Amino acid sequence: MGLLTGKTALITGAARGIGKAIALRFAQEGANVAFTDLVIDENGKATEAEIAALGVKAKGYASNAAKFDETEQVVAKVKEDFGSIDILVNNAGITKDGLMLRMTEAQWDAVIAVNLKSAFNFIHACLPIMMRQRGGSIINMASVVGVHGNKGQANYAASKAGLIALAKSVAQEMGPKGIRANAIAPGFIETAMTAALPEGVRAEWMKAIPLRRGGQVEDIANTALYLASDLSGYVTGQVIQVDGGMNT
């Protein structure tokens, strides 16, 4: 018996990267996994097959998380296909960086819509299901820049700070219904995106991290597993920074 055996997890933006790592980790612990991405292409199908190979039910759904109506429809379909939604991970996200003086309205709106409004959309759609089940765990994927800010990322930082406040607010509203809500704030995580950074930029990051290394996607997945499982049954309304100590 795994920590999540018999539960269904819905993870947004999980065809690759951190979302995929969370999906695989949940599946290793027995969870059935539904995941969304903008399109379910060959990469998404491969992710679906990887999850299913762990002996659980897995299905990818094409959905624009920023669209309220699409979210309502996909959540209803997941409930129909899987029977329950016990865990929601709001992981969908984009960046459109730029200094505040040069940032366009389109850059601001796109990041807020995909990173923050999408979480509202999915929480809004999943809460009635979780309330009927008298329980559930909601995990918002925030960022250390949502806690401390970052120059050149006003839109991204604002969206991630919003995800933290959203989790804390939902935790207060839904606690009496047995529904928990928390946020994870990753620091410098080794992904394809960070691997493409200039070596000088990477070196500066490393100097700011007491552990002197970047995090792995598995570090985030393990934290998500803790928050999704009964191991964290008395933990709600919290933000956990997984950053190697860079902001202590």
Side-chain angles (χ1 to χ4, degrees), residues 14-214:
R16 58 188 63 77
I18 289 174
K20 178 180 177 179
I22 293 172
L24 290 170
R25 189 71 184 93
F26 283 8
Q28 289 168 356
E29 292 294 333
N32 296 314
V33 178
F35 68 91
T36 71
D37 219 301
L38 197 56
V39 294
I40 301 298
D41 52 14
E42 289 183 6
N43 187 62
K45 288 294 184 183
T47 296
E48 187 179 281
E50 278 188 68
I51 299 168
L54 294 169
V56 300
K57 183 175 181 178
K59 187 171 182 180
Y61 299 80
S63 171
N64 183 342
K67 299 291 187 182
F68 186 86
D69 290 344
E70 282 190 33
T71 299
E72 294 281 331
Q73 292 166 12
V74 78
V75 167
K77 192 69 171 68
V78 171
K79 176 64 166 63
E80 179 184 327
D81 292 343
F82 286 80
S84 68
I85 299 175
D86 307 287
I87 302 154
L88 170 65
V89 181
N90 287 307
N91 172 71
I94 60 170
T95 58
K96 289 186 179 293
D97 297 347
L99 294 174
M100 188 65 184
L101 278 171
R102 299 173 187 167
M103 186 173 290
T104 65
E105 181 183 14
Q107 285 176 305
W108 176 271
D109 287 348
V111 170
I112 295 299
V114 175
N115 295 8
L116 182 56
K117 184 173 184 286
S118 67
F120 162 77
N121 292 343
F122 273 89
I123 293 172
H124 189 274
C126 287
L127 278 181
I129 297 169
M130 291 181 172
M131 288 172 68
R132 285 193 293 272
Q133 297 169 176
R134 295 296 297 176
S137 176
I138 297 167
I139 303 167
N140 286 350
M141 198 58 55
S143 167
V144 291
V145 307
V147 180
H148 302 279
N150 195 33
K151 60 185 179 182
Q153 288 193 308
N155 51 1
Y156 186 76
S159 71
K160 295 301 186 177
L163 285 172
I164 293 170
L166 177 59
K168 288 178 176 290
S169 298
V170 171
Q172 292 182 35
E173 290 184 18
M174 291 293 116
K177 303 295 185 183
I179 299 168
R180 299 182 296 111
N182 294 284
I184 299 174
F188 188 92
I189 306 300
E190 298 283 3
T191 63
M193 184 175 67
T194 55
L197 291 172
E199 192 52 43
V201 174
R202 289 177 56 84
E204 284 300 312
W205 272 96
M206 294 308 166
K207 283 196 292 186
I209 301 171
L211 290 182
R212 293 296 187 267
R213 65 173 179 85

Side-chain angles (χ1 to χ4, degrees), residues 180-182 226-227 229-238:
R180 299 182 296 111
N182 294 284
Y226 167 71
L227 291 175
S229 74
D230 292 339
L231 291 175
S232 60
Y234 201 55
V235 178
T236 193
Q238 304 304 306

